[in-house]
Amino acid sequence: MQRDELADFLRRRRAAIRPANVGLSVNPRRRTTGLRREEVAMLAGMSVDYVVRLEQGRSSQPSTQLLAALARALRLSDDERDHLFHLAGHRPPPADGVARLARSGLIRLLDLLGDTAAMVLSDLGEVLAQNRMSVLLAGDLADLNGDRRYLAYRWFVDPDGRDGCPPEDRDHQSRQVVADLRAVAGRRTGDPLVAGLIERLQAASEEFRTLWADHEVAVRRADRKAILHPEVGRLLMDCETLMTPDQGQELLVLTPADDETGNRLDLLRVVGTQEFPATR
């Protein structure tokens, strides 16, 4: 681990990021042009003290999970992210597999979408990055561990995985989740990661086994779905999916499908502002 080089790199990248680039509002009298340490800590989901120790070269070796969070918070390019891992004494994550990170170009699109809810997902439904509105809408899904990372596992196995879906829509959603996973399994034939997930789902859920046997295949690209939000009630959202050329990652953008939903999302933004106060 190259502590001094790591510290210098983190300080310089923090200074290069403008608050507006990561969705933070600022006081006009603010003197700091780049991000503050507490802002990096908030965006990365870690303590301010740990960010301070990293930037002062006094930290223990950060985990790959912490490095991934820092890379997202600082909007690092793929090359910068790999450099960060090297400085911390870790092998950079592979392009595919469990350790993959959201592509830097998709992260920048998240920033450009502003108050429009959006997230980056892997083809297996792992949430790799979210913007602030997406977190307010769906909760923080980017730091889940184990099989709970996968949409299909949460839907069929997690007792709370269907809370946000109206009961009358759940059968349709179950078929969509399985049909999309079928398409992934076809593209990634022989991949032990995909095969293992399917095997565990079949062992854990009778409903999944039944639907999997139907062999329905469909890639989800656009959809309209209702979401039951605990703060603002029922939301009707249009969901548009933009895939990378290799279909390994996708950008999911969620927009209100009617005026009532738009008004409720405006209320949700106010609730979020109260929960995450603007930096002064």
Side-chain angles (χ1 to χ4, degrees):
M1 176 177 172
Q2 304 174 59
R3 283 187 175 83
D4 291 342
E5 290 293 318
L6 176 63
D8 181 71
F9 182 62
L10 290 173
R11 290 194 304 268
R12 292 181 182 277
R13 294 316 307 154
R14 175 170 63 84
I17 300 294
R18 300 296 181 264
N21 296 147
V22 295
L24 296 176
S25 58
V26 297
N27 188 298
R29 293 175 294 179
R30 176 185 175 121
R31 296 179 181 178
T32 305
T33 57
L35 292 182
R36 293 169 174 157
R37 285 168 172 167
E38 57 266 28
E39 292 166 341
V40 172
M42 179 190 73
L43 292 167
M46 60 184 63
S47 70
V48 178
D49 178 67
Y50 192 70
V51 173
V52 171
R53 285 187 284 121
L54 278 170
E55 289 196 357
Q56 293 179 348
R58 299 186 293 108
S59 71
S60 58
Q61 184 182 36
S63 67
T64 56
Q65 290 82 5
L66 284 176
L67 293 173
L70 281 169
R72 290 196 301 267
L74 295 172
R75 303 304 191 254
L76 300 186
S77 68
D78 293 344
D79 291 337
E80 290 169 335
R81 180 201 65 204
D82 290 352
H83 183 63
L84 175 69
F85 273 73
H86 283 306
L87 292 178
H90 289 290
R91 183 187 299 273
D96 296 303
V98 176
R100 83 171 83 186
L101 300 176
R103 295 185 178 182
S104 57
L106 295 181
I107 290 287
R108 292 190 179 94
L109 283 176
L110 284 184
D111 297 334
L112 292 173
L113 285 166
D115 282 342
T116 299
M119 61 183 75
V120 180
L121 300 97
S122 74
D123 56 356
L124 285 176
E126 305 161 90
V127 177
L128 306 178
Q130 296 173 267
N131 64 10
R132 187 170 177 238
M133 193 61 197
S134 168
V135 174
L136 293 176
L137 183 64
D140 190 348
L141 302 173
D143 291 321
L144 296 176
N145 297 312
D147 281 338
R148 293 188 68 239
R149 295 192 307 272
Y150 305 113
L151 169 63
Y153 195 90
R154 292 197 304 276
W155 181 260
F156 286 103
V157 181
D158 191 329
D160 302 322
R162 305 186 182 193
D163 286 352
C165 182
E168 64 271 19
D169 295 344
R170 292 176 182 177
D171 288 345
H172 173 69
Q173 177 72 0
S174 292
R175 287 194 171 276
Q176 279 197 321
V177 170
V178 174
D180 188 70
L181 183 57
R182 265 288 184 189
V184 176
R187 292 195 304 270
R188 296 173 60 176
T189 301
D191 189 327
L193 179 66
V194 180
L197 174 61
I198 293 169
E199 182 178 347
R200 294 189 297 276
L201 282 166
Q202 288 179 318
S205 170
E206 181 179 355
E207 180 187 9
F208 179 84
R209 289 196 301 273
T210 300
L211 293 175
W212 189 255
D214 289 342
H215 209 128
E216 295 180 358
V217 181
V219 177
R220 288 191 294 180
R221 293 184 174 87
D223 194 12
R224 175 169 289 184
K225 64 188 296 185
I227 298 174
L228 301 178
H229 194 278
E231 297 283 348
V232 296
R234 186 185 180 96
L235 303 168
L236 187 62
M237 306 295 297
D238 282 328
C239 310
E240 189 73 35
T241 301
L242 307 176
M243 291 186 175
T244 56
D246 63 0
Q247 295 185 293
Q249 293 187 11
E250 60 190 45
L251 178 68
L252 174 63
V253 181
L254 301 101
T255 55
D258 55 29
D259 291 340
E260 182 179 358
T261 295
N263 293 334
R264 292 185 177 186
L265 288 176
D266 289 339
L267 176 59
L268 184 59
R269 290 186 186 94
V270 174
V271 173
T273 301
Q274 293 172 346
E275 184 177 353
F276 304 108
T279 303
R280 297 181 178 178

